[in-house]
């Protein structure tokens, strides 16, 4: 007997003014499976989730849950139907305790009073089932994103959810935390829940999912068992025929390498990162690889002056330079796209135009304003050149997709005509299409003579792009791989060099 | 924040604020029928609207400074006390025989010093603005009392009296000074890149710093401007009553200034600011006060009436009501179809 | 971070305190009387005058007077009283900032057998034995004196009056209002047409008077009654700026007797003020001296509420200028 269809969406349509967000999409989830929902930005994933959770109503098609037609009106009704969705920033209350969050709105009471002890005991048991042993009386906000997500999942599962929707839960988790989350997902699967897993990480699809559905332009283009689809095929499905097979565009290495642009010697800061040497020549990509916490991000922070180095020296275009802060670095011709775009990069409520003009304006000083016209021209130019998808330059940047935000940040630095661009995880949390575009941009910029320092946790990405790779381990440089020797295997080997010490 | 229904784009910017001011003025016209009656006498304009501008001048000045501070996600609680200090310095200056210009310069200098102190605490020491400025709010009034030795310092220096009672182009000096200062600050931030920097720092201080925005300098700057404007307001208030009243000058006006920013549609979470609408907010507030004072209610009802009216105005301006309006419009259209 | 705040606050407070406080030294000369004075603060000219006159009176009588500035906070005054008890002063003068919450600390003073004399304001307590005597003005009488002057001055002419109240909610305001109303109750020609709070300040007094003039017209106001001189000084300016002649077109009567109102009277811009005598310290010292001699003290010593008119204004101004 085939497994029961827990959720069945057929011919689902949703129209927004000028956009057909969903155009007859189908989507089936069985009880007891983890189902990956994949697609580029704009493919219709978010709209589909919004319909399932009752945030918006479909214009056509039908949704059935366990065979019965369902039209949830609002998240509360969706929850009654057994559908719970968890977003990256969960809806829990950070200043209530873990236990209070778990039982919010359904606290065990006696004579109208909350039975705190009992609630805390229950909470401890509930979390222990997921291998989570934490102080349930502490405020939830004290814990990491990972723990908060697990608490949210535990709460949803305990609310007798049948279908759990996880929307990019791993984008801010490190490897260990991700593994922990996967373990919990497998447990819930074993208990018969259906799990919808939205992610940008293809590796994770293969690691934890049973089946997958790919959406493109509002339609379902594939519904397959994970084992049947190769990585290349999957990328092809998501991007469409034109880009099929374009996993990562490989650079022509060393094609246009010029003179030294910036040289760091013995650059370091105590307790943050041990001194390292690094030289950038015009037109090359230097990458930093290493595990999370290996010190790779710290090298970038020091190089940009976001933290001040306490040892070493810098030479830019043959002249010594002092980096006391980002402003010094910018004056030296550096640009920096930080890892946490939302926190350290974009100025959310400001427009795309203002975000692009910001660094150039900051370098020019307050007294010499770029005219509105000049800013608009600048924005127009980069929106076109980098293919930033936004209706116009006045849209607040926070309303753009991750990939387009990243391109806007790139534009911000390109506007300053930099020598050296420091990119920390430039493709993190960006869909496959955006991913490829950004790597293509990196290649083009190098061809124009820029130097690029790129930090990435995706070895394949590094291998495809970098001329040289600085491998970091335990907050110190652990080797430099150059030219033809650059390959995922070589980097992996360098990271893991002394066996047993690699886990950072 | 969320603009799901797009009501903000549907209504012209500043519409709700101007509507609130119009309502407040209309309420006044009901209370006193000859409210809009203006009279030109001795080359000077008289009438209730002029009174409102005159009385509202300090709030306008404080509001403009507060709008900049709030745009950086800060708050300046010390402005009322800075007013008292500046008034005391100006009065003590002329009392000690200093020329009027020097006295005023000293008073404004005191405001700049206060602003600098606040700015350093916030930008360099990293103290939360509400705490940092509370220090001067509490201590400042004491400093002002120290300057006046605890008495109301009356003066009769003719130039200061002219500031209090004279007129420029038919308008009271205070009105001209306040509007000119507001315009000057507006030009200074909008004709330079300061507005962009202030908004960027308010929305995301960390990202701004990494983009090379001199965040600390921007913070010091806004507190400095706030202090200078508060000192200006302090000189105007002292000139108005021809005395420095260290105890009462500017008392609770910091709250009026915050309210002016809020009535002007500003968010206490920083970011976008509008000096023009803040001025509108300050004038709305003063118009409401005038209305209540003139309505002839027993004074016991003043605070309740004020609170009620302010609540109503804020509700009118709230996104929820705007959204309701936005929702009603298409519905009405459907009915017609 | 918090230490910075604490440092800054205490530095600023120290700055203020050095200006106003007298540090209470332990030295006590044999045979000399030591009195601790817990003063409200120095929030007004009148308050400073009260402090200064108490100090002068003490010096004349050879009494050591230790003044503690309460910064208008009850806890500071309570702390000061406890410190006076610890220093074993011979008597404590208290000008209470608020009327309630004194029972405990005054009980401590009684246990230490230190007599307490209240100045200027009453307290609410069930146990009147907590203090020896109270020296204060009768605020109702002040209002009545002001009202009676107006009745006499008008001689039957019809007169709409506007009233500038003090801060809403205090007994002081209620009494000054009541006294005035009592005085004009019999005069059918006088009636209060508007009343509004000027919060005891010049700025508010001016603003409210401006409002009155706009609302009912300057020609329809015959007299202004203000609960204190400062509000009246603001109102006088408002009248002048509206082209009216205070003291002539519109009569003025207010309470307190601060120097500036005498200046205004001398200039013909004000008509009358009722003095709230600031020499309460001297009277309290007299009560104390009598008590130490005879063991008797009156429970309430009422200070006079004298009416001052323009004829003596110039001289009074000269006399008071340095005091306030």
């Amino acid at each position: 007997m085939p497994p029961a269809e827990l959720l069945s969406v057929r011919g689902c349509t949703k129209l927004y003014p000028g956009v057909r967000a969903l155009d007859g999409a189908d989507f089936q989830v069985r009880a007891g499976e983890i189902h990956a929902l994949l697609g580029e930005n704009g493919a219709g994933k978010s709209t589909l989730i919004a319909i399932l959770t009752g945030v918006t109503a479909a214009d056509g098609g039908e949704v059935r849950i366990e065979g019965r037609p369902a039209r949830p009106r609002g998240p509360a009704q969706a929850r009654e139907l057994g559908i719970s969705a968890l977003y990256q920033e969960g809806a829990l209350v950070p200043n209530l305790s873990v236990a209070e969050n778990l039982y919010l709105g359904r606290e065990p009471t006696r004579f109208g009073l909350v039975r705190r002890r009992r609630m805390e005991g229950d909470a401890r048991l509930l979390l222990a089932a997921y291998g989570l042993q934490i102080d349930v009386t502490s405020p939830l906000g004290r814990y990491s994103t990972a723990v908060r997500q697990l608490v949210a999942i535990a709460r949803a599962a305990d609310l007798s959810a049948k279908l759990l929707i996880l929307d990019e839960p791993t984008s801010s988790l490190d490897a260990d935390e991700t593994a922990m989350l996967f373990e919990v997902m497998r447990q819930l699967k074993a208990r018969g829940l259906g799990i919808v897993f939205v992610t940008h990480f293809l590796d994770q699809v293969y690691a934890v999912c049973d089946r997958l559905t790919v959406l493109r332009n509002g339609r379902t283009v594939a519904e397959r068992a994970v084992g049947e689809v190769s990585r290349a095929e999957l990328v092809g499905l998501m991007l469409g025929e034109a880009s099929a097979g374009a996993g990562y565009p490989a650079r022509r290495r060393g094609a246009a390498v010029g003179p030294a642009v910036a040289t760091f010697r013995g650059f370091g800061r105590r307790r943050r990162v041990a001194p390292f040497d690094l030289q950038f020549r015009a037109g090359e990509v230097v990458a930093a690889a290493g595990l999370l916490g290996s010190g790779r991000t710290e090298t970038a922070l020091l190089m940009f002056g976001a933290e001040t180095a306490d040892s070493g020296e810098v030479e830019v275009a043959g002249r010594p330079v002092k980096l006391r802060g980002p402003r010094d670095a910018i004056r030296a011709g550096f640009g920096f796209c930080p890892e946490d775009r939302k926190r350290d990069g974009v100025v959310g409520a400001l427009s795309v135009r203002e975000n692009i003009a910001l660094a150039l304006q900051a370098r020019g000083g307050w007294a010499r304003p770029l005219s509105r016209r000049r800013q608009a021209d600048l924005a127009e130019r980069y929106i076109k050149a980098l293919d930033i998808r936004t209706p116009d330059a006045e849209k607040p940047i926070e309303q753009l997709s991750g990939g387009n935000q990243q391109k806007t940040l790139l534009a911000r630095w390109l506007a300053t005509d930099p020598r050296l661009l420091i990119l920390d995880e430039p493709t993190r949390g960006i869909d496959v299409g955006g991913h490829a575009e950004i790597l293509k941009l990196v290649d083009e910029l190098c061809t124009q003579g820029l130097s690029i320092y790129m930090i990435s946790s995706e070895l394949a990405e590094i291998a495809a792009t970098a001329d040289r790779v600085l491998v970091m381990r335990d907050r110190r440089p652990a080797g430099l791989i150059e030219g033809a020797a650059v390959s995922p295997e070589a980097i992996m080997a360098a990271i893991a060099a002394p066996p047993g010490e690699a886990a950072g | 924040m969320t603009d799901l229904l797009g009501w903000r784009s549907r209504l012209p910017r500043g519409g709700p604020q101007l509507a609130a001011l119009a309502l407040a003025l209309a309420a006044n016209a009901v209370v006193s029928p000859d409210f809009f009656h203006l009279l030109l006498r001795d080359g000077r304009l008289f009438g209730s609207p002029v009174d409102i501008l005159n009385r509202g001048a300090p709030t306008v000045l404080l509001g403009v400074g507060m709008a900049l501070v709030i745009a950086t996600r800060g708050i300046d609680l010390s402005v009322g006390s800075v007013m008292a200090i500046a008034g005391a310095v100006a009065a003590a200056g002329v009392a000690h025989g200093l020329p009027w210009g020097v006295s005023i310069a000293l008073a404004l200098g005191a405001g700049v010093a206060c602003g600098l102190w606040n700015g350093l605490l916030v930008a360099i020491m990293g103290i939360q603005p509400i705490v940092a400025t509370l220090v001067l709010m509490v201590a400042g009034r004491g400093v002002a009392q120290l300057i006046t030795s605890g008495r109301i310092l009356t003066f009769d220096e003719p130039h200061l009296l002219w500031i209090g009672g004279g007129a420029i182009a038919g308008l009271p000096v205070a009105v001209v000074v306040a509007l000119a200062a507001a315009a000057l600050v507006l030009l200074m931030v909008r004709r330079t890149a300061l507005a962009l920097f202030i908004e960027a720092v308010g929305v995301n201080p960390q990202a701004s710093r990494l983009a090379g925005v001199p965040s600390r300098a921007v913070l010091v700057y806004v507190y400095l401007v706030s202090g200078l404007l508060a000192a200006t307001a302090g000189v105007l208030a002292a000139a108005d009553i021809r005395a420095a009243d260290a105890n009462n000058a500017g008392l609770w006006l910091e709250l009026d200034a915050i309210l002016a920013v809020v009535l002007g549609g500003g968010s206490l979470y920083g970011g976008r600011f509008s000096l023009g609408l803040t001025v509108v907010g300050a004038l709305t507030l003063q118009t409401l006060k005038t209305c209540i004072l003139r309505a002839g209610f027993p004074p016991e009802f003043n605070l309740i009436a004020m609170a009620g009216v302010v609540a109503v105005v804020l509700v009118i301006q709230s996104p929820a009501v705007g959204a309701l309006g936005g929702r009603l419009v298409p519905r009405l259209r459907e009915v017609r179809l | 971070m918090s230490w910075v705040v604490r440092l800054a606050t205490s530095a600023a407070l120290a700055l203020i305190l050095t200006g106003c406080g007298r540090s209470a030294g332990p030295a006590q000369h044999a045979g000399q009387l030591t009195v601790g004075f817990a003063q409200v603060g120095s929030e007004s000219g009148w308050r400073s005058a009260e402090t200064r006159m108490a100090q002068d009176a003490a010096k004349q009588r050879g009494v050591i007077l230790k003044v503690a500035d309460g910064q208008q906070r009850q806890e500071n005054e309570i702390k000061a009283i406890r410190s006076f008890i610890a220093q074993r002063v011979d008597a404590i003068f208290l000008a209470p900032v608020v009327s309630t919450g004194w029972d405990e600390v005054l009980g401590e003073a009684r246990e230490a057998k230190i007599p307490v004399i209240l100045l200027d304001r009453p307290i609410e307590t069930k146990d009147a034995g907590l203090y020896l005597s109270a020296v204060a003005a009768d605020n109702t009488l002040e209002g009545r004196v002001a009202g009676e002057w107006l009745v006499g001055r008008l001689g039957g002419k019809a007169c709409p009056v506007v009233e500038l109240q003090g801060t809403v909610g205090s007994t002081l305001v209620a009494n000054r209002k009541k006294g005035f109303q009592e005085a004009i109750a019999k005069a059918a020609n006088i009636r209060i047409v508007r009343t509004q709070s000027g919060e005891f300040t010049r700025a508010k007094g001016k603003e409210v008077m401006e409002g009155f003039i706009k609302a009912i017209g300057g020609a329809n106001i015959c007299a202004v009654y203000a609960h204190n001189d400062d509000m009246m000084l603001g109102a006088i300016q408002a009248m002048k700026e509206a082209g009216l002649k205070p003291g002539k077109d519109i009569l003025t009567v207010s309470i307190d007797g601060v120097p500036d109102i005498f200046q205004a009277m001398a200039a013909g811009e004000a008509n009358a003020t009722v003095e709230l005598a600031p020499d309460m310290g001297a009277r309290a010292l007299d009560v104390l001296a009598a008590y130490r001699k005879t063991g008797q003290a009156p429970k309430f010593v009422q200070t006079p509420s004298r009416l001052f008119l323009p004829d003596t204004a110039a001289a009074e101004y000269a006399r008071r200028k340095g005091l306030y």
Side-chain angles (χ1 to χ4, degrees):
Chain A
M1 197 177 101
E5 296 284 332
L6 171 62
L7 169 78
S8 162
V9 178
R10 297 217 171 266
C12 191
T13 317
K14 176 75 192 178
L15 301 167
Y16 287 115
V19 189
R20 207 168 257 273
L22 281 179
D23 188 10
D26 300 331
F27 186 42
Q28 270 84 234
V29 181
R30 296 168 191 160
E33 73 164 355
I34 301 177
H35 195 119
L37 180 60
L38 304 170
E40 270 205 273
N41 279 347
K45 288 174 300 183
S46 327
T47 311
L48 184 56
I49 293 173
I51 290 170
L52 291 178
T53 51
V55 172
T56 184
D59 295 324
E62 63 163 12
V63 177
R64 282 170 183 272
I65 288 166
E66 293 179 322
R68 280 187 296 278
R71 289 206 114 187
R73 291 162 159 254
Q77 266 192 27
R79 235 171 283 135
E80 275 170 37
L81 289 166
I83 301 175
S84 278
L86 296 176
Y87 300 97
Q88 214 186 97
E89 293 93 14
L92 298 183
V93 191
N95 49 359
L96 289 185
S97 77
V98 173
E100 284 165 333
N101 266 294
L102 281 171
Y103 292 100
L104 194 64
R106 54 190 187 110
E107 296 88 351
T109 55
R110 186 166 54 192
F111 314 129
L113 296 172
V114 175
R115 300 178 64 187
R116 182 165 292 275
R117 280 282 161 72
R118 156 119 188 252
M119 183 169 85
E120 286 164 6
D122 288 356
R124 239 169 254 128
L125 277 178
L126 184 66
L127 292 180
Y130 298 103
L132 200 59
Q133 274 159 353
I134 55 170
D135 177 9
V136 297
T137 60
S138 290
L140 184 68
R142 291 239 188 102
Y143 292 103
S144 66
T145 320
V147 170
R148 272 185 266 173
Q149 266 170 2
L150 289 183
V151 170
I153 291 173
R155 176 182 158 88
D158 199 46
L159 279 164
S160 64
K162 293 171 191 150
L163 184 73
L164 197 59
I165 301 170
L166 304 177
D167 192 359
E168 293 188 41
T170 56
S171 55
S172 50
L173 303 188
D174 69 22
D176 290 346
E177 292 168 335
T178 305
M180 192 156 78
L181 178 70
F182 286 177
E183 193 42 52
V184 168
M185 284 164 64
R186 290 192 191 100
Q187 271 184 48
L188 293 173
K189 172 173 109 176
R191 279 161 54 177
L193 261 74
I195 297 175
V196 177
F197 182 48
V198 181
T199 182
H200 291 310
F201 299 107
L202 299 188
D203 297 342
Q204 296 180 353
V205 174
Y206 289 99
V208 74
C209 296
D210 303 302
R211 295 198 306 145
L212 58 85
T213 293
V214 180
L215 295 181
R216 195 169 71 233
N217 298 328
R219 287 182 207 172
T220 306
V221 295
E223 185 192 331
R224 309 271 274 277
V226 167
E228 294 171 5
V229 197
S230 75
R231 189 185 167 106
E233 200 181 343
L234 189 51
V235 171
L237 283 169
M238 289 168 68
L239 294 181
E241 290 312 309
S243 331
Y248 294 119
R251 274 186 69 232
R252 289 166 296 118
R253 282 199 190 85
V257 171
V261 164
T263 311
F264 297 83
R265 279 190 215 95
F267 216 55
R269 181 181 166 91
R270 245 179 306 159
R271 278 199 280 279
R272 298 292 283 162
V273 63
F276 59 90
D277 300 314
L278 213 48
Q279 189 176 56
F280 295 90
R281 280 169 296 184
E284 72 174 354
V285 176
V286 179
L291 297 172
L292 206 79
S294 62
R296 49 177 209 215
T297 291
E298 285 76 0
T299 59
L301 294 178
L302 288 191
M303 284 164 55
F304 193 65
E307 287 184 11
T308 43
D310 57 11
S311 72
E313 54 196 33
V314 196
E315 222 171 69
V316 177
R319 288 197 181 155
V321 172
K322 280 251 179 294
L323 298 179
R324 280 154 307 202
R327 292 171 63 73
D328 285 345
I330 292 167
R331 227 170 279 128
F334 299 174
F336 176 45
C337 294
E339 179 181 11
D340 192 335
R341 265 195 312 279
K342 201 169 161 186
R343 195 187 65 195
D344 303 332
V346 301
V347 183
L350 296 195
S351 66
V352 172
R353 167 179 58 82
E354 288 165 311
N355 268 283
I356 290 177
L358 191 59
L360 182 60
Q361 180 64 70
R363 193 178 63 184
W366 65 272
R368 272 170 295 164
L370 300 171
S371 69
R372 174 86 182 219
R373 180 69 194 278
R374 176 91 197 284
Q375 293 182 19
D377 288 350
L378 210 59
E380 266 337 297
R381 198 167 92 218
Y382 284 105
I383 286 172
K384 210 170 284 165
L386 306 188
D387 195 17
I388 298 171
R389 264 154 256 164
T390 172
D392 63 86
E394 295 309 313
K395 197 160 176 87
I397 192 173
E398 62 197 355
Q399 294 176 15
L400 266 52
S401 71
N404 286 313
Q405 289 186 7
Q406 186 68 287
K407 287 195 217 162
T408 308
L409 290 185
L410 270 174
R412 172 190 291 172
W413 294 115
L414 293 179
T416 66
D417 194 14
R419 292 188 174 98
L420 170 64
L421 261 186
I422 302 165
L423 312 176
D424 193 355
E425 295 278 13
T427 58
R428 170 172 284 194
I430 290 173
D431 62 82
V432 175
H435 203 127
E437 280 181 69
I438 287 182
L439 293 182
K440 201 169 124 235
L441 269 174
V442 165
D443 184 27
E444 285 170 11
L445 293 172
C446 281
T447 317
Q448 292 162 20
L450 242 77
S451 302
I452 292 192
Y453 183 51
M454 185 170 90
I455 296 168
S456 174
S457 46
E458 286 200 41
L459 301 186
E461 182 177 294
I462 292 181
T465 323
D467 295 282
R468 276 180 295 144
V469 181
L470 172 70
V471 179
M472 298 295 296
R473 193 174 61 228
D474 296 336
R475 299 185 179 275
R476 59 184 66 250
L480 198 67
I481 304 170
E482 290 189 76
V486 175
S487 72
E489 295 75 23
I491 302 169
M492 182 73 82
I495 291 175
E501 283 180 30
Chain B
M1 295 287 296
T2 46
D3 190 14
L4 294 173
L5 295 149
W7 69 277
R8 277 178 207 278
S9 45
R10 214 169 291 157
L11 294 172
R13 188 164 136 78
Q17 284 76 26
L18 289 170
L21 178 58
L23 262 175
L25 288 169
N28 263 292
V30 170
V31 168
S32 34
D34 57 350
F35 179 76
F36 288 108
H37 185 73
L38 287 175
L39 182 75
L40 197 65
R41 200 175 62 209
D42 310 332
R44 197 182 154 176
L45 219 47
F46 287 87
S48 298
V50 180
D51 288 351
I52 288 174
L53 285 171
N54 199 13
R55 291 284 143 250
T59 318
V60 165
L61 287 167
L62 300 187
V64 166
M66 192 67 80
L68 296 184
V69 172
I70 285 179
T72 65
R73 256 191 231 183
I75 199 141
D76 187 350
L77 294 181
S78 72
V79 288
S81 295
V82 173
M83 275 179 74
I85 292 178
V89 169
V94 292
H96 284 91
L98 292 177
W100 66 279
V102 175
S103 300
I104 289 180
L106 283 176
L108 300 185
V112 168
C114 289
L116 204 59
W117 161 261
N118 283 333
L120 292 181
L121 286 188
V122 172
I124 311 297
M125 314 289 278
I127 298 174
Q128 280 178 18
I130 195 166
V131 180
T133 55
L134 190 65
V135 173
L136 199 55
M137 178 189 178
V138 175
R141 215 158 271 286
V143 171
Q145 281 180 10
L146 204 61
I147 297 168
T148 60
S149 341
R151 44 186 107 167
I152 296 178
L153 221 53
T154 308
F155 48 80
D156 48 12
E157 204 288 325
H159 296 91
L160 289 188
L161 297 195
W162 175 77
I163 291 174
I168 299 174
L171 286 171
V173 176
V175 175
V176 176
V177 168
L179 294 182
L184 215 63
V185 173
L186 185 74
L187 280 180
M188 188 161 60
V189 300
R190 293 286 176 199
R191 280 297 168 88
T192 66
L194 281 169
L196 175 65
F197 290 178
I198 289 169
E199 290 181 342
V201 167
V203 172
N204 189 338
Q206 170 69 354
S208 305
R209 189 177 83 91
L210 288 177
V213 175
S215 322
R216 287 178 173 183
V218 167
L219 286 179
V220 172
Y221 169 80
V222 293
Y223 285 96
L224 204 127
V225 169
S226 179
L228 178 60
L229 291 175
T232 311
V235 172
L236 294 183
D240 180 41
I241 59 166
R242 305 171 168 212
D245 185 348
N247 255 295
N248 298 305
L251 195 62
W252 306 127
L253 270 195
E254 58 279 345
L255 299 183
D256 281 10
I258 295 167
L259 199 53
V261 175
V262 173
L263 286 176
S267 159
L268 292 181
Y269 293 111
R272 297 285 189 204
F273 67 91
S274 163
L275 297 184
L277 291 182
T278 301
V279 171
V280 170
L283 293 178
T284 306
L285 191 61
Q286 188 58 44
T287 308
L288 294 175
K289 281 186 174 179
T290 304
C291 182
I292 287 165
L293 278 183
R294 296 192 182 173
F297 296 132
E300 289 79 4
F301 291 106
N302 285 359
L303 295 176
I304 297 171
M306 193 67 206
V309 171
V310 166
V312 168
V313 171
L314 288 177
V315 166
I316 290 173
Q317 296 186 5
S318 73
V321 172
L324 197 69
R327 237 177 277 147
L328 281 176
V329 173
R331 227 176 258 166
L332 291 175
R333 229 176 269 145
E334 274 164 36
V335 172
R336 222 178 294 151
L337 287 173
Chain C
M1 173 161 129
S2 64
W3 67 267
V4 181
V5 179
R6 232 177 292 143
L7 190 73
T9 323
S10 51
L13 285 181
L15 201 68
I16 301 157
L17 284 172
T18 46
C20 324
R22 296 274 179 282
S23 62
Q28 289 189 19
H29 302 283
Q32 220 177 357
L33 219 54
T34 306
V35 174
F37 181 11
Q39 174 62 296
V40 172
S42 52
E43 78 278 9
S44 65
W46 186 89
R47 188 65 63 189
S48 317
E50 184 190 35
T51 308
R52 212 159 295 151
M53 291 178 81
Q55 284 164 336
D56 291 349
K59 204 177 285 167
Q60 276 172 17
R61 292 165 174 77
V63 173
I64 299 170
L65 188 73
K66 300 175 169 182
V67 182
D69 187 321
Q71 308 270 333
Q72 294 162 83
R73 295 172 69 109
Q74 187 175 27
E75 66 256 38
N76 291 346
E77 291 203 285
I78 289 177
K79 247 183 255 166
I81 294 172
R82 294 218 161 101
S83 123
F84 290 145
I85 295 171
Q87 295 170 47
R88 308 214 180 155
V89 296
D90 298 297
I92 294 172
F93 293 175
L94 167 64
V97 63
V98 293
S99 59
T100 54
W102 299 102
D103 289 19
E104 193 185 327
V105 70
L106 293 190
E108 290 167 27
R110 183 164 62 182
E111 266 171 43
K113 298 199 166 45
I114 300 174
V116 174
I117 300 177
L118 302 178
L119 297 193
D120 165 44
R121 298 182 189 185
I123 62 167
E124 279 171 38
T125 176
K126 286 192 192 111
D127 184 359
L130 284 175
Y131 59 90
L132 176 69
S133 180
V135 179
D138 178 346
N139 300 130
T140 314
L141 176 66
E142 291 167 344
R144 205 179 303 135
V145 171
E148 279 162 2
W149 170 80
L150 188 64
V151 172
R153 166 79 188 236
L154 288 168
K157 203 179 82 185
C159 183
V161 177
V162 294
E163 180 188 31
L164 291 166
Q165 288 192 21
T167 311
V168 173
S170 72
T171 38
L172 172 70
V173 168
N175 289 339
R176 284 185 177 170
K177 190 180 177 67
K178 194 174 91 188
F180 187 79
Q181 277 169 338
E182 283 170 9
I184 62 167
K186 290 154 267 173
N189 57 324
I190 305 174
R191 112 198 114 80
I192 297 179
V193 290
R194 284 267 172 156
T195 179
Q196 185 53 263
S197 171
E199 291 167 23
F200 284 131
T201 71
R202 278 193 201 194
K204 271 281 172 186
K206 185 178 178 190
E207 182 176 356
V208 170
M209 190 64 200
E210 265 178 18
F212 285 159
I213 294 169
K214 283 275 153 47
I216 56 180
N220 298 321
I221 300 172
C222 139
V224 187
Y225 166 50
H227 287 194
N228 80 348
D229 290 337
D230 278 327
M231 287 192 288
M232 184 61 85
L233 287 163
I236 287 170
Q237 269 185 61
M239 289 184 258
K240 279 159 71 179
E241 283 172 21
L244 299 163
K245 291 197 177 67
K248 293 184 186 70
D249 299 347
I250 298 179
L251 299 176
T252 82
V253 56
S254 48
I255 301 173
D256 270 1
V258 302
D260 285 348
I261 199 75
F262 287 101
Q263 200 179 23
M265 280 199 283
E269 293 171 346
N271 301 102
T273 185
V274 180
E275 184 195 40
L276 171 64
D279 61 345
M280 306 210 170
R283 289 167 200 277
L285 286 169
D286 291 344
V287 170
L288 183 66
Y291 172 69
R292 287 178 72 86
K293 205 177 276 174
T294 65
Q296 300 284 318
K299 201 68 202 171
F300 183 69
V301 178
Q302 187 183 316
T303 59
S305 300
R306 271 177 68 197
L307 182 74
F308 285 85
L309 296 172
D311 50 346
T312 55
E316 285 295 329
Y317 176 66
R319 187 170 74 78
R320 285 159 196 262
K321 210 166 59 174
L323 268 177
Y324 283 75

